[in-house]
Amino acid sequence: RLLNHLYFPQKTTSVGAMRLMHRSAAVERPAPEETVTASFGRFISGLKARHLTPTVLRRSKRMMLDSLGVGLLGSTTDVFQLALRHCQEMYATDDISSVYGRSGTKLSPTLAAFVNGVAVHSMDFDDTWHPATHPSGAVLPALLAVSDMMPQNRKPSGLDLLLAFNVGIEVQGRLMRFSNGASNIPKKFHPPSVVGPMGGAAACSNLLSLDPSQCSHALAIAASLAGAPMANAATQSKPLHIGNASRLGMEAALLASRGLEASPLILDSVPGVAGFNAFYEDYMPLPLYLAPDEGHSFLIEDQDIAFKRFPAHLGMHWVVDAAASVHKLIVGVDSGKVSASKVKDILLRVPRSKYINRPFPECEHQARHSFQFNACSALLDGEVTVQSFTAGAITRPELAALLSLVRVEHPEDNPANFDLMYGEVQVTLDGGEVLRDRCDTFYGHWRNPLTNESLRKKFRSNAGAVLPREKVEGLVETVEALDELPDCTPLLLKLQ
Amino acid sequence: MMIFGRFISGLKARHLTPTVLRRSKRMMLDSLGVGLLGSTTDVFQLALRHCQVRSSDNGSVYGRSGTKLSPTLAAFVNGVAVHSMDFDDTWHPATHPSGAVLPALLAVSDMMPQNRKPSGLDLLLAFNVGIEVQGRLMRFSNGASNIPKKFHPPSVVGPMGGAAACSNLLSLDPSQCSHALAIAASLAGAPMANAATQSKPLHIGNASRLGMEAALLASRGLEASPLILDSVPGVAGFNAFYEDYMPLPLYLAPDEGHSFLIEDQDIAFKRFPAHLGMHWVVDAAASVHKLIVGVDSGKVSASKVKDILLRVPRSKYINRPFPECEHQARHSFQFNACSALLDGEVTVQSFTAGAITRPELAALLSLVRVEHPEDNPANFDLMYGEVQVTLDGGEVLRDRCDTFYGHWRNPLTNESLRKKFRSNAGAVLPREKVEGLVETVEALDELPDCTPLLLKLQ
């Protein structure tokens, strides 16, 4: 599956000459086979289709389906449109790679990865893992763009795609486990911008059949492009973190395929010279071994992923489920709507996390990152949907009325951790009645995963916003049988 | 942070003092020359081939008439060229400010219609916005004053400077300028581990490219955090890249002048293409070379040397006893000191494959010991380099350099700077263009249309 000559790996001659120098003194760094970085390179290069277990196949197909649907819906957003115009006008038309939901629009491959990644994260509707990141959007757009690049008679098979996808997911998961800090809601760097480019680079390296050394260098090159501060989450720019993870991860792999080299110790812990650990407070890297004749234990097998039922930060889903229950109680009592005039007080018990604690969000991006907004929307409507974040919905006076009644507490036993947190909503009605509900595990969480029916329902709703029904159903079937698809072209065609 | 936006948007040509004009022209000249020479390197060629896959449009490439790229990619490859040999300017606090800014500005200029090209003064103004913003940001952190350990400074402040400069040149309003900074921050921050590798030049290339992208995205209305430079507990902004961080507003008083950092803190231009820390030990070693040659009347021979002691600051990534490639050699106290001991100087040629693999150099390298005296901090304003050679006969020759020629305390004369430029630019441009560039940059503030500058670079 080597690419055409444009990306055939080439070594620079001067570097080659350097390598011939022999040193009699002791080697000043560990032998390559002993480093964490090299072990990752060997893993990425060496993983084969036979390593993919049924559970891995099943779960990663679900991730792909959800990611595609979310991306297709996301192609209707303003931020996507902005990014697309930017790419079209700033770069020559290099009609190679497709854009989600836009038949007739093509971009150069890394830019297609960029805009599609922006689409996937544009509404904060994409999958979330533990430790926390949004793994699929950093990987799948890049892989599809690479597939578009390949000659017609040498397209990857569906299984090639699934393999590379899982390399990208697995590497992200392994990297996050190097730091305990990664398990909590982030404060410094937005995780998709830290591990996302690494996953994108790993996935593309695998799909491009790079050798272990090139795979290592791809990771190192990607590390120089990683790391966006949390301040840009909950802004219009957040989707670009995933867009850039896909784009820059792909670039890193392409540069590595041309022979660009970077630090061979990027994942290792070298005192005094920060590598990938620059992004973490605590950091303990471990090698990633692929035993020659055994299977590989993928993280996705032991730690499933969460798919969102509505487009907002994952932390919202607990309070929404709790608030929806309280809504039912109120409506039962009041036989009708929830009216702000009947409510005296709303108390939310949630984890302490500044960037999702917004009493009065001022735009759709902030609304997707507001405990208060999502709880009140669910109290009012009984649910939160894609429509809950339109301009009209956000500015409803009855919603504003409820928002002004909200208090927030951060109980000691409620950590900012997607595996351990809960969301509690307590409403005091005018007559003094107190209605309360607590959600420990929302429907869609990895402990209570969406059924295949629910997942497809979400996909149909999303994809159907931009694709005709035959293509929507075609995608459901194609992804379902992806591992048997000899050539991924049908998948690529249905996305436009 | 809107205050930064107002600064970037509001700075006008009248704010540029004579000192600022003079110093920034020197920076521009040096940066162009270094970039032109850098266009001969392998890493540049690699980056160019990479970008040409999505080619065309109107961005010019240093030293390559007939090669055009889309503008942000032109900024990228030219930035790679500038830093490809570690030959570009270095400031205090430490970063390489010009390479993150100038390639982006030239690419933006290429983008503009023929009848609305920026003037030379527009270019100088935007350039200084980019330099000033980088300097101001670095002063938010005490940690920025020392040789870096975590993030490579050009990758932290570089994109911010590129974004600021392009925002000014594009005449964005204050709010757009602020958002450009915030968008750029999401693309900042490369770990130090990639310094001293073939990928290091991409840090400057990407600073220019991604800074320019940020400004262009902001010009389309993309918004990001309005508090990116402020210190918000629990939500990291630009302070994510620093251990300590105390931001200050950057005011532009309505009717007064502005006090630019470049006026009080000049910049260092390198005399040879290696990490700045090398320049102290090279000057010291060159003096010792003269002493030895005087004693020995001839060459320096490894067989006559018993021991070489270097007293340098502690900094792991420029402490390499046996560098294995040109990138490592540019970041090795030992290599540079021994080259200067052997040859009496270090030049562009000292880093060729042939020069690096010389047996007599290897022999000297095996005699080197390194000490890190307490009074020698890893700080470009305070460090020194000492070279002590013990000859076979027992004689001890020593020299210490506190301020190398080219440091901001002992700046290159205009003659020396032009000599460096002619040598660099002459590697790829014909003599008329080389001389034309010297004259054009010298009179840049009087150039009504920057097209002549752009044309001479190819």
Side-chain angles (χ1 to χ4, degrees), chain A residues 30-245:
Chain A
E33 52 273 14
E34 299 164 14
T35 65
V36 171
T37 307
S39 76
F40 268 68
R42 281 194 300 275
F43 175 85
I44 293 164
S45 183
L47 200 76
K48 296 287 172 265
R50 64 173 180 79
H51 289 106
L52 302 173
T53 65
T55 301
V56 170
L57 282 171
R58 185 171 59 248
R59 287 182 173 173
S60 50
K61 284 181 195 175
R62 282 162 55 91
M63 290 160 75
M64 280 191 174
L65 188 74
D66 188 70
S67 187
L68 291 174
V70 161
L72 288 165
L73 180 66
S75 71
T76 63
T77 60
D78 286 340
V79 64
F80 172 85
Q81 192 57 33
L82 188 155
L84 179 61
R85 270 199 328 259
H86 169 78
C87 292
Q88 282 174 315
E89 291 174 27
M90 281 309 308
Y91 296 86
T93 46
D94 224 19
D95 324 359
I96 292 178
S97 296
S98 311
V99 173
Y100 283 170
R102 304 287 177 104
S103 79
T105 298
K106 296 221 184 263
L107 292 173
S108 64
T110 56
L111 296 185
F114 174 67
V115 297
N116 289 337
V118 168
V120 167
H121 201 39
S122 61
M123 304 166 80
D124 223 320
F125 210 177
D126 42 335
D127 53 18
T128 309
W129 212 11
H130 179 71
T133 195
H134 305 291
S136 300
V139 168
L140 189 54
L143 292 179
L144 296 174
V146 170
S147 303
D148 274 324
M149 263 171 66
M150 286 165 154
Q152 195 49 53
N153 59 348
R154 272 190 293 152
K155 294 288 188 200
S157 66
L159 196 54
D160 293 333
L161 224 51
L162 276 161
L163 174 62
F165 180 82
N166 279 289
V167 168
I169 303 302
E170 179 76 355
V171 163
Q172 292 184 69
R174 293 286 170 178
L175 291 176
M176 286 190 292
R177 278 157 178 75
F178 288 175
S179 170
N180 291 320
S183 300
N184 302 319
I185 293 180
K187 287 189 190 157
K188 224 176 201 192
F189 292 104
H190 189 216
S193 72
V194 179
V195 295
M198 311 298 276
C204 292
S205 299
N206 176 277
L207 193 64
L208 292 168
S209 299
L210 302 191
D211 67 42
S213 169
Q214 291 170 315
C215 291
S216 292
H217 286 300
L219 288 179
I221 297 164
S224 274
L225 294 157
M230 278 304 293
N232 281 329
T235 74
Q236 195 190 23
S237 289
K238 187 184 181 194
L240 273 67
H241 293 181
I242 288 285
N244 277 321

Side-chain angles (χ1 to χ4, degrees), chain B residues 166-243:
Chain B
C166 292
S167 299
N168 177 278
L169 193 64
L170 291 167
S171 299
L172 303 191
D173 68 40
S175 169
Q176 290 171 317
C177 290
S178 292
H179 286 301
L181 288 178
I183 296 163
S186 274
L187 294 156
M192 279 304 293
N194 281 329
T197 74
Q198 196 190 24
S199 288
K200 187 183 180 195
L202 273 68
H203 293 181
I204 287 285
N206 277 321
S208 232
R209 161 172 80 141
L210 301 174
M212 183 177 165
E213 275 192 22
L216 292 171
L217 284 164
S219 79
R220 287 188 177 279
L222 184 67
E223 302 194 339
S225 168
L227 296 171
I228 195 69
L229 298 184
D230 297 83
S231 219
V232 178
V235 180
F238 188 65
N239 58 322
F241 303 109
Y242 294 106
E243 306 292 315

